[in-house]
């Protein structure tokens, strides 16, 4: 049976490590670290670079003179040694000549390397590199557009190196990307790195929040882990290279981000920074910003590698032709972002927007009805004119009848034009399609709320799992402690009893000897009959009276007491029987009672003088055997206690293992359900983006169709009848 999972080990704080590192000749055993000189603060203490899981110190070896970065862990990391061994083995197989730049750093995992207090802890000994963080480099060099653009390309090449070798860093961000003196990159902090040998394990961290996808979860751990953060960093570098003013405009001094933060990815609609980039006049900036916006709500395993977009980005950057309004919508058919073609299948049955050119915007060929109308209308108007000139006595309504007829004929001809029917059909179709779509704003808000609720529940669940494990372990250790205390308490009681057995044996032997002596004395007294050897002054008559009262031998009475006779002014006596009752025997006064008592005492003293002084062997053996049997019984009970305690420990172990398996099973099922829910959110997000893009396209097409209908007005038709256009 497997042993229970060990409780998480408690690691020292950064301050505790700093205190220990003041005496490196004592806390280290490694030959290159023993006696090493730490870099000190102004207060003379070892300088620490602290993070979430560790503190890093700079140490210079006294033997080799090399400078090392020594990472001291402050928090428990599952399977830490196994992870570093796998990462080290994978990085060692990389051929430096095939890498785009010397970005990987050598390191060595040293278990039990440093002593803090009375305990030993592991450290990571890493190669020291003279470099600055990416954000610090940008502070100094953001105005050099060429240098920033070249660094962006080098970063893209670094991500290609990782992807090609099936490696993911897990926490690509400004603090883990160092820029060396030759403007090449170095990648540090391999704690959360993924290599194929670790595919069966989960991730140990979520990465810097300002560089990670909102959809990244605890179960995401694979080759696609870096894709979103790679896009964010590449977009930031290319945007700064295009417009250096963006650094001072969007970056905060000492800010833990480049241009965008976590809130920009979660709520792109309300993000000032993202909207600034989306609205940037340079297509290279806006297209990359749109790309990042689209990626923010896609599952990690669907995101394309950065290398897929680099040629497109370069093409966009070199294109000077202004983009058409339709080109600003990053999508293909059905509103899908262009990069997702081939990754996501458009939803079946989704209504498609009618092409804007399907609705005519003018009248074309004249029909027979148009020709007849064109001829009749002037004739009718001419008749009306002649009647007015001739001064016809007809009422005005009669004179105007030809005008009304001409207008009616024109209206009939206009209403029967096929272009109007086509335009109406297109507009009606677009309106119908719009009504079939949900309001994108409301749908997005509903999805956001549901996802926020899901994220809160997931956070609560993931926080509860280790707590439940800790409860199991605490209960296990409490049961072990209680079983041990119960065993010790009972063993102590048994030990007391065993220690007291010798005294009990002595007491039992003494008691048996006393009983034997008492029986002997009584037997001797029982043998001395008063009638056969009466004491002085006791005749046959008094002996007979004594016998009638139950006093025949010296053993039948134990003394006397004096009593005052009521009828005589003399002192009488009462004898005390063996039962303790007093009897008055006629003829036995105080003098005779004294004589009887002296006689009995003499016999008693004589018997005591002759009584046995020791037990015989047959008399001792049963007592000693009983004592030995009880000793063996107690010894057996003590051994049984150990077996019972081991059984309790085994039962507690089984309960712990069963509880751990149950929690692991429940956590796995919940994780799978959460993954399915995330995929469903991703699918709905893609559908929402499709609907949103389609809704916008349909709305634009409907507006265009209404605009085209203006070219089919009654006035335009009259002009068409006579001008042909």
């Amino acid at each position: 049976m497997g042993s229970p999972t060990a409780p998480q080990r408690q690691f020292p704080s950064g301050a505790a490590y700093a205190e220990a590192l003041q005496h490196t000749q004592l806390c280290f055993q490694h030959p290159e670290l023993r006696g090493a000189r730490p870099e000190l603060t102004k207060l003379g203490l070892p300088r620490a670079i602290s993070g979430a899981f560790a503190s890093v110190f700079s140490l210079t070896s006294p033997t080799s003179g090399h400078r090392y970065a020594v990472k001291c862990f402050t928090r428990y990391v599952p399977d830490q040694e196994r992870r570093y061994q796998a990462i080290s083995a994978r990085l060692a197989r990389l051929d430096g000549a095939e890498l785009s730049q010397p970005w990987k750093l050598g390191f060595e995992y040293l278990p039990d390397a440093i002593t803090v207090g009375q305990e030993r802890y592991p450290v990571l000994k890493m190669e020291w590199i003279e470099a600055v963080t990416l954000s610090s480099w940008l502070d100094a060099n953001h105005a050099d557009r060429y240098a920033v653009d070249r660094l962006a390309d080098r970063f893209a090449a670094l991500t290609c190196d990782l992807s090609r070798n099936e490696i993911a860093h897990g926490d690509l961000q400004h603090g883990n990307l160092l820029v060396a003196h030759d403007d090449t990159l170095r990648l540090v902090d391999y704690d959360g790195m993924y290599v194929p040998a670790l595919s069966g394990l989960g991730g140990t961290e979520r990465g810097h929040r300002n560089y990670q996808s909102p959809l990244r979860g605890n179960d995401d751990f694979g080759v696609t882990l870096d894709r979103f953060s790679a896009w964010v960093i590449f977009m930031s570098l290319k945007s700064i290279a295009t417009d250096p003013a963006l650094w001072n405009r969007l970056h905060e001094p000492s800010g833990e981000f480049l241009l965008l933060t976590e809130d920009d990815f979660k709520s792109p609609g309300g993000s000032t920074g993202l909207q600034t980039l989306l609205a940037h006049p340079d297509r290279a900036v806006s297209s990359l910003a749109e790309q990042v916006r689209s990626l923010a709500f896609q599952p990690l395993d669907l995101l394309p590698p950065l290398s897929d977009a680099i040629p497109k980005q370069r093409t966009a950057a070199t294109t000077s032709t202004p983009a058409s309004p339709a080109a600003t919508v990053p999508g293909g058919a059905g509103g899908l972002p262009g990069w997702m073609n081939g990754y996501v299948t458009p939803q079946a049955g989704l209504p498609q927007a009618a092409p804007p050119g399907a609705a005519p915007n003018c009248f074309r060929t004249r029909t027979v009805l148009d020709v007849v109308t064109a001829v009749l209308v002037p004739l009718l108007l001419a008749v009306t004119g002649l009647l007015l000139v001739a001064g016809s006595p007809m009422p005005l309504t009669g004179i105007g009848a030809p005008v009304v007829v001409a207008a009616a004929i024109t209206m009939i001809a206009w209403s029967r034009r096929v272009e109007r029917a086509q335009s109406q059909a297109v507009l009606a179709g677009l309106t119908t399609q719009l009504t079939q779509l949900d309001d994108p704003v409301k749908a997005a808000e509903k999805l956001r709320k549901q996802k926020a609720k899901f994220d809160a529940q997931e956070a609560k669940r993931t926080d509860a799992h280790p707590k439940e494990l800790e409860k199991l372990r605490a209960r296990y250790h409490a049961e072990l402690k209680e079983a041990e205390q119960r065993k010790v308490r009972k063993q102590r009681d048994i030990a007391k009893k065993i220690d007291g057995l010798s005294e009990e044996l002595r007491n039992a032997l003494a008691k048996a000897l006393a009983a034997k002596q008492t029986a002997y004395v009584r037997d001797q007294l029982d043998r001395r009959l008063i009638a056969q050897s009466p004491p002085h002054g006791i005749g046959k008559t008094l002996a007979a009276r004594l016998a009638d009262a139950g006093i025949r031998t010296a053993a039948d009475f134990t003394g006397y007491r004096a009593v005052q006779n009521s009828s005589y002014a003399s002192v009488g006596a009462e004898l005390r029987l063996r039962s303790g009752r007093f009897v008055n025997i006629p003829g036995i006064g105080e003098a005779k009672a004294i004589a009887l008592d002296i006689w009995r005492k003499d016999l008693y003293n004589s018997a005591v003088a002759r009584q046995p002084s020791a037990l015989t062997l047959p008399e001792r053996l049963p007592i000693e055997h009983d004592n030995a049997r009880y000793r063996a019984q107690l010894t057996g009970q003590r051994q049984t206690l150990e077996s019972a305690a081991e059984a309790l420990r085994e039962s507690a172990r089984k309960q712990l293992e069963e509880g751990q398996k149950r929690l692991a099973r429940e956590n796995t099922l919940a994780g799978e359900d959460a993954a399915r829910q995330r995929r469903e959110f991703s699918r709905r997000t893609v559908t929402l983006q499709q609907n949103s893009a389609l809704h916008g396209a349909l709305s634009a097409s409907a507006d265009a169709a209404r605009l085209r209908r203006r070219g089919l007005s009654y006035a335009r038709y009259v002009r068409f009848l006579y001008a042909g256009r």
Side-chain angles (χ1 to χ4, degrees):
M1 180 174 293
S3 60
T5 303
Q8 293 186 3
R9 186 181 183 187
Q10 297 297 318
F11 282 78
S13 64
Y17 281 118
E19 183 177 352
L21 287 172
Q22 295 181 71
H23 309 285
T24 55
Q25 71 277 10
L26 299 177
C27 68
F28 284 122
Q29 294 180 345
H30 192 278
E32 282 201 287
L33 299 180
R34 188 182 182 92
R37 298 188 308 276
E39 181 183 353
L40 303 178
T41 65
K42 293 180 180 179
L43 298 176
L45 297 174
R47 185 185 303 279
I49 303 173
S50 298
F53 291 87
S55 291
V56 179
F57 300 87
S58 171
L59 296 173
T60 302
S61 172
T63 56
S64 65
H66 291 161
R67 191 177 181 187
Y68 295 102
V70 175
K71 174 176 281 191
C72 300
F73 301 97
T74 56
R75 285 177 61 185
Y76 171 79
V77 177
D79 305 304
Q80 187 179 65
E81 184 171 359
R82 174 185 172 186
R83 290 176 185 273
Y84 275 117
Q85 288 174 347
I87 294 167
S88 177
R90 186 70 186 93
L91 295 180
R93 292 200 300 270
L94 298 182
D95 186 353
E98 296 180 357
L99 299 179
S100 62
Q101 57 210 294
W103 53 262
K104 67 167 184 165
L105 300 180
F107 69 89
E108 183 180 2
Y109 182 83
L110 304 174
D112 299 330
I114 185 171
T115 300
V116 181
Q118 301 298 319
E119 297 288 334
R120 299 193 64 79
Y121 300 92
V123 302
L124 197 68
K125 181 172 75 73
M126 303 174 289
E127 175 188 349
W128 183 269
I129 179 68
E130 293 294 341
V132 297
T133 63
L134 176 58
S135 55
S136 297
W137 186 89
L138 285 170
D139 277 333
N141 297 278
H142 65 273
D144 189 342
R145 298 174 63 174
Y146 173 74
V148 177
D149 189 68
R150 181 179 57 190
L151 191 66
D153 292 339
R154 284 176 174 164
F155 171 73
L158 187 155
T159 64
C160 289
D161 290 344
L162 293 172
S163 179
R164 186 172 61 253
N165 290 284
E166 297 183 303
I167 298 172
H169 180 268
D171 189 17
L172 288 181
Q173 44 115 330
H174 65 274
N176 291 334
L177 287 165
L178 305 184
V179 185
H181 65 278
D182 59 353
D183 287 354
T184 56
L185 291 165
R186 302 292 186 273
L187 193 57
V188 298
D189 191 0
Y190 302 158
D191 292 351
M193 182 172 278
Y194 167 84
V195 295
L198 299 179
S199 59
L201 300 179
T204 60
E205 57 182 72
R206 296 280 292 272
H208 197 297
R209 60 187 182 88
N210 288 331
Y211 292 84
Q212 299 304 320
S213 166
L215 293 187
R216 178 171 174 177
N218 293 329
D219 51 350
D220 287 313
F221 190 61
V223 293
T224 62
L225 206 55
D226 293 333
R227 290 189 174 177
F228 183 79
S229 49
W231 278 95
V232 170
I233 295 170
F234 182 75
M235 177 213 68
S236 300
L237 292 174
K238 282 295 183 180
S239 298
I240 296 167
T242 303
D243 183 0
L246 289 172
W247 179 251
N248 291 327
R249 184 177 177 185
L250 299 181
H251 180 76
E252 297 176 2
S254 302
E256 291 295 309
F257 63 96
L258 295 180
L259 299 182
L260 299 178
T261 69
E262 175 188 31
D263 293 336
D264 297 317
F265 308 139
K266 287 185 174 180
S267 304
S271 165
T272 302
L274 186 56
Q275 294 304 318
T276 298
L277 297 176
L278 289 171
H280 198 278
D282 193 293
R283 180 72 186 283
V285 176
S286 61
S287 61
L288 279 172
E290 174 57 38
Q291 198 82 313
V292 169
R293 186 197 66 79
S294 299
L295 297 175
F297 291 99
Q298 309 307 323
L300 296 185
D301 55 356
L302 290 182
L303 302 188
L306 184 58
S307 58
D308 286 5
I310 293 174
K312 301 177 186 177
Q313 189 274 339
R314 287 175 177 166
T315 301
T318 56
T319 301
S320 58
T321 306
S324 65
T328 61
V329 180
L336 270 178
W339 64 267
M340 290 193 70
N341 293 329
Y343 289 93
V344 178
T345 303
Q347 189 177 358
L350 197 65
Q352 302 295 313
N361 61 351
C362 63
F363 298 105
R364 298 187 181 94
T365 308
R366 291 188 181 93
T367 64
V368 175
L369 181 58
D370 294 329
V371 174
V372 171
T373 301
V375 172
L376 286 178
V377 168
L379 290 176
L380 291 171
L381 293 177
V383 170
T384 301
L386 290 173
L387 290 175
L388 289 172
V389 171
S392 172
M394 295 177 60
L396 188 58
T397 53
I399 296 174
V403 176
V404 174
V405 172
I409 292 173
T410 307
M411 289 290 292
I412 292 171
W414 172 63
S415 64
R416 301 189 64 170
R417 286 297 303 189
V418 68
E419 292 88 352
R420 292 189 72 251
Q422 291 174 348
S423 177
Q424 184 63 34
V426 168
L427 186 57
L430 291 172
T431 303
T432 300
Q433 291 183 68
L434 278 171
T435 58
Q436 292 175 357
L437 295 176
D438 293 332
D439 186 321
V441 176
K442 292 181 179 178
E445 180 62 18
K446 180 180 179 181
L447 181 60
R448 185 193 66 77
K449 289 181 178 179
Q450 290 177 345
K451 188 175 181 305
K453 182 179 179 181
F454 167 77
D455 289 340
Q457 291 173 341
E458 268 301 281
K460 184 177 180 181
R461 181 185 69 81
T462 53
D463 287 344
H465 179 65
K467 291 178 181 176
E468 290 297 322
L469 280 175
E470 192 56 37
K471 284 182 182 178
L472 279 179
R473 296 189 190 102
R475 185 161 62 245
Y476 166 70
H477 290 296
E479 289 176 357
L480 290 186
K481 183 178 180 181
E482 183 182 354
E484 186 65 20
Q485 289 176 341
R486 187 185 304 118
K487 182 193 77 172
V488 169
R489 187 168 57 250
K490 290 186 176 180
Q491 283 181 337
R492 192 183 298 118
D493 293 341
I494 291 175
K496 276 185 182 180
K497 292 179 180 178
I498 291 176
D499 291 342
L501 283 177
S502 298
E503 182 65 23
E504 286 185 17
L505 177 61
R506 286 193 295 271
N507 292 338
L509 291 173
K511 184 178 179 180
L513 178 59
K516 180 179 180 181
Q517 290 173 337
T518 300
Y520 174 82
V521 170
R522 182 173 178 178
D523 179 68
Q524 292 299 311
L525 294 179
D526 278 338
R527 292 173 183 271
R528 299 305 297 268
L529 299 174
I530 296 174
Q532 293 180 356
S533 56
H536 178 72
I538 302 299
K540 291 183 179 180
T541 302
L542 289 177
R545 291 176 182 173
L546 288 169
D548 291 341
I551 301 175
R552 295 181 178 84
T553 69
D556 292 335
F557 73 101
T558 60
Y560 76 97
R561 69 181 178 184
V563 296
Q564 186 71 35
N565 290 327
S566 57
S567 56
Y568 304 98
S570 62
V571 178
E574 291 180 345
L575 296 178
R576 183 171 61 235
L577 299 179
R578 189 162 54 189
S579 64
R581 185 170 62 86
F582 285 89
V583 295
N584 188 325
I585 300 172
I588 301 295
E590 183 178 19
K592 289 183 173 54
I594 292 173
L596 280 169
D597 190 50
I598 291 173
W599 174 74
R600 184 192 66 80
K601 287 180 178 178
D602 289 341
L603 292 175
Y604 176 81
N605 290 333
S606 176
V608 167
R610 298 191 310 274
Q611 68 183 0
S613 60
L615 296 173
T616 64
L617 182 61
E619 292 171 336
R620 290 176 59 89
L621 282 178
I623 298 173
E624 291 174 345
H625 285 166
D626 286 345
N627 187 270
R629 185 169 57 252
Y630 188 38
R631 182 183 294 274
Q633 189 178 26
L634 290 175
T635 303
Q637 288 178 2
R638 185 163 58 184
Q639 294 172 347
T640 302
L641 279 177
E642 185 60 44
S643 300
E646 180 58 31
L648 287 174
R649 287 193 290 268
E650 188 66 23
S651 175
R653 273 195 293 269
K654 286 182 180 179
Q655 290 181 4
L656 175 63
E657 290 174 352
E658 289 172 359
Q660 289 174 329
K661 289 178 182 177
R662 174 180 56 80
L663 287 178
R665 185 168 57 251
E666 292 174 355
N667 191 55
T668 299
L669 293 175
E672 292 173 353
D673 185 64
R676 284 193 295 270
Q677 186 63 45
R678 287 193 187 94
R679 289 193 293 271
E680 176 61 17
F681 279 131
S682 299
R683 184 196 65 76
R684 289 175 60 188
T685 300
V686 172
T687 301
L688 181 60
Q689 289 181 341
Q690 293 174 352
N691 286 345
S692 180
L694 183 56
H695 193 280
L698 288 173
S699 298
S701 297
D703 292 340
R706 293 187 187 93
L707 184 62
R708 288 170 178 271
R709 282 190 63 186
R710 296 178 185 176
L712 303 176
S713 66
Y714 179 77
R716 289 287 185 89
Y717 177 68
V718 172
R719 188 178 72 177
F720 167 72
L721 285 179
Y722 299 102
R725 57 185 176 85

